[in-house]
Amino acid sequence: MEEKNWCEETLKIVESQIGDINNSGIVASNIDYLYKLVDIHKDLSNEKYWKEKLDIMYREYNDNYGRRRRDSRGRYMTGEYGRRGMNGRYRGEDHIDDMYSNYQNYSEGRDAYGADQETLKSLEKMLKSTKDFMKMLGREAKSEEEIEMIRETAREISEM
């Protein structure tokens, strides 16, 4: 039996046992057993979560570093000092990466756990990254037209 199957099978059995105790009622004689089952459930769920998280991180790492990256115009980036800075990355890409990463954490947490504290922290970090990105765009605007476009977008966001 492969690792994923035994973990999921054990998790199903533990959930079934917890359900049986809940249906029959929690009493002093089964409280210690229930505590152990909940602890096992927590550990198995945590193991499953981190295995999936590591798989995602491994895929993203391979996507980012396993092949040559292109800029917004489809040109290969050299990894040297380029038009925008070191590694061929444009200013602001870090903000976008942060938004993406925090959105993934928010989305995964919301789907798995609802609106818990970690999920809300991820949302807060994503919104901060968005705000930082907008500030950076404002600092780098070179014309009044660009500044006005940024202000208009910020105004639209504030009216949502």
Side-chain angles (χ1 to χ4, degrees), residues 51-66:
K51 182 177 182 344
E52 291 170 359
K53 182 94 170 168
L54 288 173
D55 287 346
I56 290 168
M57 288 170 54
Y58 179 75
R59 276 195 309 272
E60 287 176 356
Y61 175 82
N62 283 337
D63 286 348
N64 289 335
Y65 300 103

Side-chain angles (χ1 to χ4, degrees), residues 91-109:
R91 283 187 294 257
E93 255 186 278
D94 290 336
H95 295 300
I96 292 170
D97 289 346
D98 288 344
M99 282 186 276
Y100 177 71
S101 175
N102 289 315
Y103 178 75
Q104 278 186 318
N105 292 339
Y106 166 71
S107 184
E108 288 171 4

Side-chain angles (χ1 to χ4, degrees), residues 122-134:
S122 294
L123 176 62
E124 183 178 5
K125 288 177 183 178
M126 181 184 61
L127 294 172
K128 183 184 181 317
S129 298
T130 304
K131 183 176 67 176
D132 292 343
F133 181 69
M134 292 292 288

